[in-house]
Amino acid sequence: MDKYRHCQRLLDKLQHTMQHNQQWETCSPSAQALASAEPFAIDTLSCAQWLQWIFIPKMTQLIASHVPLPSQFEIAPYVEEAMKNEQGYEGILAVCNEFDNLMKAK
């Protein structure tokens, strides 16, 4: 499976896992909250909001445009710390670890 398809499957899996664990919202945060310049929009969004409203859409856009995917990034450490007391934490973290491993793969 190519990296783009694998990434899309992981995005779908992440969305499903978040929905299953009531970590998916129906209303978008404000434009101001989404425009944060901080890493992970830590000053304006929860981790689940960042995954849903920034990470998933940006990765989906990269896949659709077929531009090079990031070669090195890690989101799992942030998710691990930010969501450690949240419902569904283990499943969401597992998918994020899969993302990190995929992006490290050549």
Side-chain angles (χ1 to χ4, degrees):
M1 177 182 336
D2 76 10
K3 200 169 195 174
Y4 291 94
R5 275 202 337 227
H6 191 174
C7 189
Q8 185 59 58
R9 287 187 182 185
L10 287 175
L11 291 173
D12 295 342
K13 184 176 179 180
L14 179 59
Q15 179 176 339
H16 174 76
T17 303
M18 291 176 69
Q19 288 171 331
H20 178 76
N21 290 288
Q22 290 77 46
Q23 294 292 337
W24 195 259
E25 298 181 348
T26 56
C27 295
S28 174
S30 70
Q32 182 180 359
L34 293 171
S36 171
E38 293 295 318
F40 306 105
I42 198 164
D43 59 334
T44 59
L45 301 176
S46 70
C47 181
Q49 287 174 318
W50 177 80
L51 288 168
Q52 178 180 352
W53 301 105
I54 295 180
F55 179 72
I56 292 173
K58 286 191 181 210
M59 291 301 291
T60 300
Q61 182 180 23
L62 292 176
I63 293 165
S65 301
H66 215 71
V67 297
L69 296 172
S71 60
Q72 294 287 321
F73 75 80
E74 288 186 306
I75 61 170
Y78 168 61
V79 172
E80 183 173 21
E81 181 60 30
M83 295 191 78
K84 63 186 171 189
N85 297 316
E86 300 291 329
Q87 180 174 332
Y89 152 78
E90 294 88 359
I92 294 167
L93 179 60
V95 178
C96 292
N97 275 312
E98 288 184 67
F99 267 111
D100 289 354
N101 291 333
L102 177 63
M103 293 303 130
K104 291 176 190 174
K106 301 260 179 200

